[in-house]
Amino acid sequence: MAKIGILNLQGAVSEHYDLTKKAVKNLGVNVKVESVRYAEDVEVCDGIILSGGESTVIGKLICKRGIDKVIKDNNIPVFGTCAGMVLLSKKTDFNQPLLGLMDISVKRNNYGRQKDSFEQPIDILGQKFLGVFIRAPALESYDETKEDIKVLSEYDGDIVAIQQGCNIAISFHPELTEDTLIHEYFINEVLNKIN
């Protein structure tokens, strides 16, 4: 049985957990969803979902607990939302710990402060999706020479969702909607990798 871990360090962890369970049910696949907090929990996962929150704090915890090493050593796919997008990048506009799994550069808080948060329909994976942007980052650049990178969505001229290999980084919060589209997509990417 495949296992998707929801990294329980900060952010909308329970919302990701609930939406991932719903996505598994919709897909009718044999996948266990579990909240994980430590390297030994992450090590037995086939995919990890990294939620929003404060990316500097999450990055420090990931490094302190050795979660970064486990993810890299085991080539575990990661789906990162908001702060997760920042952490997946190789470079950001602030000096902080990063996973550095994707050849992307990210600008933190691209859309402003908490009071500037907004919701906007966007196109992703061939469908309309409600993007919930809360102190959201956006891509500054990505390595266009990498064949395994594909842009999944743009908003107002900014790239807000991108994939490299099985890793997915998005700047908004799909877990704050009822739409399982992106979670289902990630689950399928994980299952395709392990099968």
Side-chain angles (χ1 to χ4, degrees), residues 25-46:
K25 185 176 180 184
N26 289 349
L27 290 169
V29 292
N30 193 15
V31 173
K32 183 177 183 179
V33 180
E34 194 171 284
S35 175
V36 295
R37 295 177 61 88
Y38 298 98
E40 56 269 21
D41 305 326
V42 171
E43 193 168 24
V44 295
C45 292
D46 299 294

Side-chain angles (χ1 to χ4, degrees), residues 7 47 71 76 82 84 97 126 128 133 150 182 188 193:
L7 196 56
I71 287 172
I76 300 171
C82 198
K128 285 285 184 197
F133 293 82
K150 63 180 174 181
I182 303 170
N188 280 326
K193 179 182 182 284

Side-chain angles (χ1 to χ4, degrees), residues 48-51 78-85 88 168-172:
I48 292 292
I49 295 179
L50 185 54
S51 59
V78 178
F79 168 29
T81 63
C82 198
M85 174 187 243
L88 281 166
I168 300 168
I170 64 174
S171 62
F172 50 92

Side-chain angles (χ1 to χ4, degrees), residues 107-125:
K107 181 179 179 193
R108 294 170 21 136
N109 302 331
N110 185 70
Y111 296 102
R113 308 180 102 171
Q114 187 82 18
K115 65 180 178 62
D116 302 312
S117 300
F118 64 96
E119 296 179 0
Q120 180 67 40
I122 59 167
D123 293 309
I124 187 166
L125 303 172

